[in-house]
Amino acid sequence: MSLIKPKQQDEILLNDIKSFHTDTGFKVWWLAQSGFLLKWQEKYLLHDPYLSDSLTVKYQHTDKPHIRMSELVINPAALDFIDIVTSSHNHTDHLDAETLMPILKNNPHIKFIIPEANREFVVNRIKCPLGFPIGLSDGISFEHAGFTIKGVPAAHNELERNSKGECIYMGYVVQFGGYAIYHSGDTIWFDGLEKILRPYNVDIAFLPINGNKPERKVAGNLNAQEAAELGKVIDAKLVIPHHYHLFEFNTEDPASFEEECIKRGVAYKVLEMGEGVGYEKK
């Protein structure tokens, strides 16, 4: 089977990113899996990038092969203009050393946001100083470059906390310039999630759609129906799906998400890898 080709990749993608300029909104590009790059007023926020083949190599001789469905969008070393990068939890497609190490190296002033509960694991994997990552939990926020990032619990598959009560799995709400976005990380719909999110008046919600199937032998996520419904109940102005078209064993057809959004009257945008979408207040 031939690999899915990104709509934009490498230099073409970089040119699109760098040529976007506006004072009235922002733009987001999907970099595959749960990775999104946001540009606002010449500042860059990168959520949960996975831009390598590390998982395919790691699992190639196991009963859980991670067979890639799509081409790589961009070499992470080319992303040398990032202000903030996040990791929502310790799974490799959200905390990948082969992706993050060149990004951190090429952006000497970058801020690296993680769940505080995962600090020791993160620094061992990424080979960075213990005090370098900025750790959050629910109810804790961090401000930088005009962005305020707030921790939100995530359940993958359970709501888990360490002995200090800090979240092991997280999502992030980011507020900037009168906007608010919600990046879910990996999560199922746990009791109270919608109550946490509604007060933020979310403009864009980035939600997984690959579902929760035990036969995959990995932790699950929202399915297409749940993602559409969550977008509706939190009154997100736009819902963008993620966590599909990367690995054959753990994917979903985004057409099913489109159908669920149409049923509910939810505004949505299904992006191709490397594609961007601009957004501004109406």
Side-chain angles (χ1 to χ4, degrees):
M1 185 182 74
S2 60
L3 296 178
I4 300 169
K5 190 170 184 62
K7 184 166 185 176
Q8 299 185 117
Q9 62 188 139
D10 300 326
E11 287 301 320
I12 294 174
L13 173 58
L14 277 177
N15 288 338
D16 186 32
I17 293 167
K18 292 183 177 181
S19 65
F20 173 75
H21 308 284
T22 182
D23 293 326
T24 58
F26 63 94
K27 191 169 182 177
V28 176
W29 292 262
W30 184 41
L31 304 186
Q33 198 66 341
S34 301
F36 290 91
L37 174 64
L38 184 152
K39 182 178 184 180
W40 169 69
Q41 293 189 352
E42 307 307 309
K43 302 295 185 181
Y44 297 89
L45 169 67
L46 179 58
H47 278 297
D48 284 32
Y50 175 76
L51 297 167
S52 82
D53 286 318
S54 61
L55 284 168
T56 300
V57 173
K58 177 180 179 181
Y59 288 103
Q60 62 184 330
H61 299 304
T62 73
D63 63 351
K64 195 167 58 179
H66 285 49
I67 300 171
R68 176 178 277 278
M69 297 176 64
S70 55
E71 295 180 9
L72 286 167
V73 174
I74 195 168
N75 184 331
L79 300 176
D80 59 359
F81 46 83
I82 306 301
D83 295 287
I84 302 171
V85 64
T86 74
S87 167
S88 61
H89 62 285
N90 288 344
H91 293 159
T92 303
D93 55 334
H94 299 259
L95 181 73
D96 179 41
E98 291 185 23
T99 298
L100 288 167
M101 290 173 74
I103 290 174
L104 297 178
K105 178 183 177 182
N106 292 339
N107 293 279
H109 301 296
I110 197 171
K111 305 300 181 183
F112 181 28
I113 309 299
I114 66 167
E116 176 60 31
N118 301 343
R119 180 175 296 275
E120 290 190 8
F121 185 98
V122 169
V123 301
N124 286 334
R125 175 171 287 183
I126 306 303
K127 310 302 181 188
C128 63
L130 182 65
F132 174 68
I134 295 161
L136 301 184
S137 190
D138 53 332
I140 298 176
S141 62
F142 173 74
E143 296 183 23
H144 179 68
F147 297 103
T148 299
I149 304 174
K150 300 185 178 183
V152 174
H156 191 44
N157 282 8
E158 303 294 332
L159 280 174
E160 294 187 44
R161 297 178 183 270
N162 65 7
S163 60
K164 297 179 181 179
E166 297 162 337
C167 295
I168 293 173
Y169 301 104
M170 291 185 63
Y172 298 107
V173 170
V174 184
Q175 297 172 303
F176 55 98
Y179 297 101
I181 65 167
Y182 166 57
H183 188 283
S184 64
D186 279 353
T187 194
I188 60 174
W189 192 338
F190 59 87
D191 185 33
L193 176 59
E194 69 280 10
K195 294 178 182 177
I196 293 171
L197 296 174
R198 279 192 195 116
Y200 290 109
N201 297 312
V202 170
D203 289 288
I204 301 181
F206 303 97
L207 304 178
I209 62 168
N210 60 307
N212 183 22
K213 298 180 179 180
E215 62 269 23
R216 292 175 175 167
K217 303 178 183 178
V218 293
N221 276 319
L222 301 167
N223 61 31
Q225 177 180 342
E226 291 165 335
E229 184 64 20
L230 180 60
K232 182 178 179 62
V233 300
I234 67 171
D235 194 27
K237 308 306 180 291
L238 183 68
V239 182
I240 298 178
H242 63 80
H243 218 295
Y244 62 93
H245 283 179
L246 183 61
F247 299 121
E248 290 183 3
F249 83 106
N250 191 10
T251 188
E252 177 57 83
D253 183 350
S256 61
F257 169 74
E258 293 185 65
E259 292 172 3
E260 297 295 341
C261 286
I262 291 169
K263 287 179 186 176
R264 293 166 173 79
V266 172
Y268 68 92
K269 176 66 176 177
V270 174
L271 295 174
E272 296 180 55
M273 282 163 283
E275 182 180 8
V277 59
Y279 183 90
E280 61 181 86
K281 295 285 191 185
K282 294 181 179 179

